[in-house]
């Protein structure tokens, strides 16, 4: 039986422990809406990514997805949020301090929540997460649906690249202006949908051949197990979460 590979202490943690850690970071960003607190969570995610050995991967995914949304929020809120303290003027638009403050709070919250999940999936494989969830009590059907959903985007991306190369070899123009790309969309989309339907049928037959629907005790070729570090991490994270909730209650009542 193959077990989870442990590259370092953080990557070697149990998948549910790492998910718990990401959830605590998200809870900290939500419970404390002040800008310094959310910036502290942002720094913590960077430190975790560096300690996990996946800093470049996390930053790259951050910049290509959440970074764009952060810039959009920053521009829209700064220019269109009602306020009195004008920072600058661009044509008929006015950048206001109140909008900038709100944009930073919302944008950094987005970076904290999305960054925590990006960090988690950067150091946790889909099969390790699904195996841990199945051992925690999730049904086999639900774990398969979750695994298929997590693997859908990479599989479709790979298939679309293969179909695109095949269509280019047949003389189809797929690069150029918007009109050229629009004309190439349908010849690429139809084979992609048909191959996905065919792949679904093949996976269903493969699952039945392996006794997926049989009511019996299942065995696994890949397994993950919690260790001592996981138990210590869960205790520390639970204490930290309780302290954060208690601190938020105290601040709310003050």
């Amino acid at each position: 039986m193959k077990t989870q590979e442990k590259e370092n202490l953080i990557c070697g943690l149990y998948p549910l422990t790492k998910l718990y850690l990401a959830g605590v970071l998200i809870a900290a960003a939500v419970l404390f809406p002040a800008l310094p607190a959310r910036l502290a969570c942002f720094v913590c995610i960077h430190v975790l990514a560096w300690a996990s050995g996946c800093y470049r991967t996390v930053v790259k995914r951050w910049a290509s997805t959440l970074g764009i949304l952060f810039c959009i929020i920053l521009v829209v809120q700064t220019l269109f949020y009602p306020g009195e303290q004008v920072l600058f003027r661009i044509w008929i638009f006015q950048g206001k301090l109140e909008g900038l403050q709100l944009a930073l709070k919302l944008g950094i919250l987005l970076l904290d929540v999305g960054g925590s999940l990006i960090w988690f999936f950067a150091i946790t494989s889909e099969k390790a997460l699904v195996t841990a969830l199945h051992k925690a009590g999730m049904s086999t059907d639900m774990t398969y649906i979750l695994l298929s959903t997590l693997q859908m985007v990479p599989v479709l991306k790979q298939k679309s690249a293969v179909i695109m190369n095949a269509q280019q070899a047949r003389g189809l123009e797929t690069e150029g202006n918007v009109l050229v790309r629009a004309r190439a969309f349908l010849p690429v989309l139809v084979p992609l949908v048909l191959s996905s339907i065919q792949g679904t049928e093949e996976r269903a037959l493969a699952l039945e051949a392996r006794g997926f629907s049989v009511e019996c005790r299942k065995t696994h070729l890949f397994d993950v197990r919690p260790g001592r570090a996981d138990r210590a991490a869960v205790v520390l994270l639970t204490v930290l979460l309780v302290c954060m909730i208690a601190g938020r209650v105290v601040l709310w009542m003050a």
Side-chain angles (χ1 to χ4, degrees), residues 144-159:
Y144 175 72
I145 292 173
L146 178 60
L147 181 61
S148 300
T149 303
L150 293 175
Q151 294 180 342
M152 181 181 298
V153 174
V155 171
L156 290 179
K157 184 178 180 180
Q158 184 180 6
K159 286 184 178 180

Side-chain angles (χ1 to χ4, degrees), residues 48-217:
L48 276 175
W50 174 80
S52 304
C54 61
Y55 186 77
R56 290 185 178 180
T57 302
V58 171
V59 171
K60 184 178 179 181
R61 295 179 182 177
W62 234 334
S64 61
T65 55
L66 300 178
I68 299 175
L69 294 177
F70 177 79
C71 293
I72 294 174
I73 292 174
L74 190 65
V75 172
V76 172
Q77 292 294 335
T78 303
L79 296 180
F80 297 100
Y81 187 79
E84 298 180 355
Q85 301 185 33
V86 179
L87 297 176
F88 58 89
R89 289 180 173 86
I90 300 177
W91 192 35
I92 61 175
F93 303 105
Q94 294 180 345
K96 306 174 186 66
L97 178 61
E98 294 83 356
L100 178 61
Q101 291 174 344
L102 179 61
L104 289 176
K105 288 184 179 180
L106 293 177
I108 295 177
L109 176 61
L110 174 66
L111 294 178
D112 289 340
V113 175
S116 300
L117 297 177
I118 289 174
W119 166 79
F120 170 73
F121 284 105
I123 65 171
T124 307
S125 63
E126 293 86 355
K127 61 181 180 180
L129 175 61
V130 169
T131 302
L133 290 174
H134 184 261
K135 294 179 69 174
M138 182 178 287
S139 65
T140 306
D141 295 337
M142 290 299 299
T143 54
Y144 175 72
I145 292 173
L146 178 60
L147 181 61
S148 300
T149 303
L150 293 175
Q151 294 180 342
M152 181 181 298
V153 174
V155 171
L156 290 179
K157 184 178 180 180
Q158 184 180 6
K159 286 184 178 180
S160 63
V162 173
I163 294 173
M164 188 78 69
N165 293 332
Q167 297 289 26
Q168 287 178 348
R170 291 177 174 86
L172 179 66
E173 295 184 6
T174 59
E175 297 180 356
N177 55 30
V178 178
L179 295 178
V180 173
R181 293 177 180 270
R183 286 196 299 267
F185 179 73
L186 187 60
V188 173
L189 180 62
V190 173
L192 180 62
V193 173
L194 293 178
S195 63
S196 299
I197 295 175
Q198 183 180 2
T200 302
E201 184 179 0
E202 292 176 353
R203 286 193 298 270
L205 293 175
L207 288 174
E208 291 301 324
R210 289 168 173 79
F212 181 79
S213 59
V214 177
E215 297 295 334
C216 64
R217 183 176 178 273

Side-chain angles (χ1 to χ4, degrees), residues 10 13-30 41 44-45 48 111-124 233 237 240-241 244:
I10 298 178
L13 291 174
Y14 195 58
L16 296 186
T17 304
K18 291 181 283 188
L19 182 61
Y20 190 25
L21 176 55
V24 170
L25 289 173
I26 294 174
V30 174
C41 293
C44 288
I45 297 172
L48 276 175
L111 294 178
D112 289 340
V113 175
S116 300
L117 297 177
I118 289 174
W119 166 79
F120 170 73
F121 284 105
I123 65 171
T124 307
L237 291 173
L240 179 60
L241 181 61
M244 288 193 303

